[in-house]
Amino acid sequence: MRIAMVGTRGVPARYGGFETAVEEVGRRLADRGHRVVVYCRTTPGQTERPAEHLGMELVHLPAARKRALETLSHSALSVAHLVAHRTDAAFVFNAANAPLLPALRAARVPVATHVDGLEWKRAKWGPVGQRYYRLAEALAVRWSDALIADAQGIADYYRSEFGVPTTLLTYGAPIIEPGTGKLAELGLTPGGYHLAVARFEPENHVDVIVDGYRRSGARKPLVVVGSAPYSDGYTARVHRLADERVRFLGGVWDQEQLDQLYAHAYTYLHGHSVGGTNPSLLRAIGAGTAVLAYDVDFNREVVEDSGRFFSSPADVAALVDAAEAGPVAVRRAGARARELARGYDWDVVATGYEQLAHRLARRQVPSRRPSGRRFPALESGPAPLPFPRPAAESGADVPRSIASGSDVVRFRGAQQ
């Protein structure tokens, strides 16, 4: 079967969740005998453009060097190429690419759109960008043969907002057991620091984490990994909130060193709030690190009873102080997190994508798509996200295997 993956920066994965998913799923589909084509975004000065990576065929195409147009411009070129080089099924990542879906439909290319998180909540887009993402959600509902959600909260949102089902596929969690050699390069010791890893954007609440930590009596330093390619003002605010105990490392691109940072942190502080299942959070639980997370359903869904949750700087201060006062509880939380991580299996995720690709190729999709209209009672504003359900109610005690229902096709091995 020929499968195309469109709408990301491509592989090798060096940036975010989409790229990680494409690499991990694509390589497995290729290993299973499928022809997988990944569209990759070129950057100025890029010299290496391999034709293949881990069994996947790569197509390199440029993009407009402007934030608002970068994704859509590259995806438009990718779709044009794809239409001229037929495929059995296409996975389009990011609902922002929804205006391009009619071209695929006109060419009779069956397509599933991975809708990502609630992008219209990201402050970086401004009012126009936020309205665009709201519109793109509706267009994705109308013009996709299937929708992919990466968290139950996202699936619930599309059900309540548009009345449509989704295929629920999250990411895998790598089980991390690295050495310690590269910690010494940073002057750190195992268990001797708290860690936060995030792009500096308001919805990732790095400011809340740093402010809360500063208010705490913590003796262990806070190590912050991440940068802000588009947000100098927010970055300056985060730095102003810090005291001498906070260390900013910027971006860490050495994966071995980053894995060691995750695995040997005393706690991992996670502030992401709008992006669905987050690969950084999965990496932290796969490292067996105790998690302090921003209190939204996406995060509760992943860490369940192993996590502690915050919504304000005061919460962060209290949680950090409690963690340093209770090392036994921290170790137990980390061990429980590692148990949960084993349920997020890339092999199971790849099976979900493979089965969906077969459904698309066989045209086992509704002959008529929904209108894309939001429910009338909700047109004045976005649907509220559901409050996290207790474990027994949400099915957390059910093995993370393939199951199905009337509203969601569930592949709970990527926390589907």
Side-chain angles (χ1 to χ4, degrees):
M1 184 165 47
R2 295 167 299 177
I3 302 170
M5 296 186 167
V6 180
T8 75
R9 288 174 173 79
V11 294
R14 297 191 180 97
Y15 189 77
F18 274 162
E19 289 72 26
T20 299
V22 168
E23 181 166 284
E24 296 292 347
V25 172
R27 68 191 295 183
R28 286 167 171 80
L29 295 179
D31 287 345
R32 297 176 191 184
H34 301 292
R35 179 185 175 189
V36 179
V37 178
V38 178
Y39 287 86
C40 303
R41 193 180 307 175
T42 59
T43 56
Q46 180 179 342
T47 56
E48 294 186 8
R49 298 182 184 182
E52 182 270 345
H53 177 66
L54 298 175
M56 297 170 280
E57 298 177 24
L58 310 186
V59 177
H60 299 272
L61 296 168
R65 308 317 302 172
K66 186 175 181 181
R67 181 178 64 176
L69 298 175
E70 188 173 355
T71 295
L72 195 60
S73 63
H74 173 260
S75 296
L77 293 176
S78 302
V79 167
H81 184 279
L82 178 57
V83 168
H85 299 77
R86 293 301 302 271
T87 190
D88 296 313
F91 294 119
V92 172
F93 292 80
N94 197 337
N97 293 313
L100 303 172
L101 295 176
L104 294 176
R105 294 186 67 86
R108 296 189 56 78
V109 175
V111 59
T113 302
H114 189 311
V115 293
D116 198 15
L118 306 180
E119 286 293 313
W120 47 266
K121 282 193 168 185
R122 294 191 185 276
K124 67 180 180 180
W125 297 122
V128 174
Q130 290 168 355
R131 285 196 297 272
Y132 174 82
Y133 269 102
R134 292 268 291 165
L135 173 63
E137 287 180 350
L139 298 182
V141 168
R142 181 173 182 176
W143 289 332
S144 303
D145 293 303
L147 299 173
I148 300 171
D150 68 8
Q152 182 63 55
I154 298 297
D156 291 343
Y157 170 79
Y158 275 83
R159 187 66 183 175
S160 63
E161 189 85 339
F162 299 101
V164 296
T166 58
T167 298
L168 186 55
L169 293 164
T170 66
Y171 304 127
I175 304 302
I176 299 173
E177 296 179 358
T180 61
K182 296 206 170 186
L183 282 185
E185 296 176 6
L186 300 172
L188 298 171
T189 58
Y193 59 95
H194 303 272
L195 177 68
V197 180
R199 288 198 294 272
F200 285 19
E201 297 173 349
E203 49 281 339
N204 290 344
H205 296 97
V206 184
D207 57 338
V208 174
I209 291 171
V210 170
D211 188 15
Y213 174 84
R214 178 180 54 83
R215 300 183 191 193
S216 77
R219 294 179 176 273
K220 301 177 189 292
L222 172 65
V223 175
V224 181
V225 175
S227 58
Y230 302 115
S231 185
D232 292 342
Y234 183 77
T235 299
R237 167 178 163 73
V238 171
H239 280 265
R240 285 197 302 270
L241 289 168
D243 63 18
E244 68 281 353
R245 296 171 297 165
V246 180
R247 290 187 55 186
F248 294 98
L249 299 186
V252 174
W253 308 113
D254 181 331
Q255 190 61 61
E256 183 181 358
Q257 186 171 66
L258 187 59
D259 284 347
Q260 290 184 14
L261 284 168
Y262 278 110
H264 299 295
Y266 188 71
T267 68
Y268 171 70
L269 290 94
H270 184 76
H272 299 64
S273 64
V274 303
T277 300
N278 184 269
S280 181
L281 181 56
L282 291 175
R283 190 166 288 274
I285 66 171
T289 301
V291 172
L292 312 178
Y294 194 77
D295 194 3
V296 291
D297 60 342
F298 309 128
N299 296 335
R300 284 184 176 268
E301 184 179 329
V302 172
V303 299
E304 297 184 12
D305 58 342
S306 74
R308 299 296 179 267
F309 302 93
F310 63 86
S311 57
S312 69
D315 293 341
V316 173
L319 290 175
V320 169
D321 284 339
E324 292 205 358
V328 174
V330 168
R331 286 195 295 272
R332 287 175 180 166
R336 173 59 177 153
R338 176 70 68 88
E339 290 177 8
L340 293 171
R342 297 188 187 282
Y344 291 81
D345 188 330
W346 277 119
D347 289 334
V348 178
V349 180
T351 296
Y353 275 91
E354 184 178 34
Q355 293 186 1
L356 179 55
H358 278 298
R359 286 168 44 207
L360 292 170
R362 294 167 183 164
R363 307 287 176 174
Q364 295 174 342
V365 295
S367 58
R368 296 183 62 185
R369 289 299 301 162
S371 67
R373 289 181 60 83
R374 298 175 191 272
F375 281 1
L378 302 172
E379 285 182 348
S380 61
L385 291 174
F387 190 78
R389 293 176 292 278
E393 202 176 310
S394 67
D397 55 342
V398 176
R400 296 172 187 239
S401 57
I402 297 175
S404 63
S406 58
D407 294 343
V408 173
V409 178
R410 188 184 300 268
F411 296 92
R412 195 165 176 167
Q415 199 325 78
Q416 310 160 77

